[in-house]
Amino acid sequence: MPTQTTVKADIYWILFLVSVVLLILVPDQAAWVETRRGWYTQPMMGALLGLGTLAIFSAYRAVQLTRREIRQGRRPLFRRNPLETLVGLLDSYRTALISSLLFFLYIKSLPLIGFVPATFIFVTVLLWLSRLLNRTWLVATIGTLMALVLIFRVTVSVWMPDVWLYSLLPDHLADFANRYL
């Protein structure tokens, strides 16, 4: 079974490889915009800066941890069973993976069921998973959602596209739901 240091080294190697691949794909994903303000205002510069920093520091940390593993007589990343390494990684980061999957489902459900129901379900499931689902946190969730709707929909006037679920309602209810939910 891989040690904790081995798992950390594996994660840093994976982060390094992912950041390098994303750096290579940046020119295809973010077009150069003609502007008089300078190169630093280009949309791709933030991504390049972030991914470059991630690549540099994950490579440094991966090499550092791999050298430590070799000095201690353990096998480095590319000499171990990949399935064993994957199981070790998944077991160590179970909560992060579940939270990431829930966030992905939340983002995909926004255009289907709307901001308020999707956010309420997402936060409630996270509270349930963290064993904090009680009356206090549920009231706090509802209050926060109401505050977010008032701030962003009413005060700032940030509107989202129409929601599929609300198209099933009569017109006057669908307009209200699309506006405030």
Side-chain angles (χ1 to χ4, degrees), residues 26 57-58 83 104 112 114 167:
V26 163
F57 287 106
S58 61
L83 185 59
F104 175 77
L112 297 175
S167 67

Coordinates of all heavy atoms in Angstrom, one line a residue, residues 26 57-58 83 104 112 114 167:
V26 N -4.1 26.4 -24.0 CA -4.5 27.8 -23.8 C -4.7 28.6 -25.1 O -5.7 29.2 -25.3 CB -3.6 28.6 -22.8 CG1 -3.8 30.1 -22.9 CG2 -3.9 28.1 -21.4
F57 N 5.4 25.1 -9.3 CA 5.4 24.7 -7.9 C 5.0 23.2 -7.8 O 5.5 22.5 -6.9 CB 4.5 25.6 -7.1 CG 5.2 26.9 -6.8 CD1 4.7 28.0 -7.5 CD2 6.3 27.0 -6.0 CE1 5.3 29.3 -7.3 CE2 6.9 28.2 -5.8 CZ 6.4 29.4 -6.4
S58 N 4.1 22.7 -8.6 CA 3.8 21.2 -8.5 C 5.0 20.4 -9.0 O 5.2 19.3 -8.5 CB 2.5 20.9 -9.3 OG 2.7 21.2 -10.7
L83 N -3.0 0.7 -10.7 CA -4.3 0.5 -10.0 C -4.2 0.7 -8.5 O -5.0 1.4 -7.9 CB -4.8 -0.9 -10.3 CG -6.2 -1.2 -9.8 CD1 -7.2 -0.3 -10.4 CD2 -6.5 -2.7 -10.1
F104 N -20.3 19.7 -9.7 CA -20.5 19.5 -11.1 C -22.0 19.3 -11.4 O -22.5 20.0 -12.3 CB -19.7 18.3 -11.6 CG -20.0 18.0 -13.0 CD1 -19.4 18.7 -14.1 CD2 -20.8 16.9 -13.4 CE1 -19.6 18.4 -15.4 CE2 -21.0 16.6 -14.7 CZ -20.5 17.3 -15.7
L112 N -31.5 23.8 -15.6 CA -32.7 22.9 -15.6 C -33.7 23.3 -14.5 O -34.9 23.3 -14.8 CB -32.2 21.5 -15.4 CG -31.3 20.9 -16.5 CD1 -30.9 19.5 -16.2 CD2 -32.1 20.9 -17.8
G114 N -33.1 25.9 -12.0 CA -33.0 27.3 -11.5 C -32.0 27.4 -10.3 O -31.6 26.4 -9.7
S167 N -40.6 26.7 -17.6 CA -41.3 26.8 -18.9 C -42.6 25.9 -18.8 O -43.5 26.1 -19.6 CB -40.4 26.4 -20.1 OG -40.1 25.1 -20.0

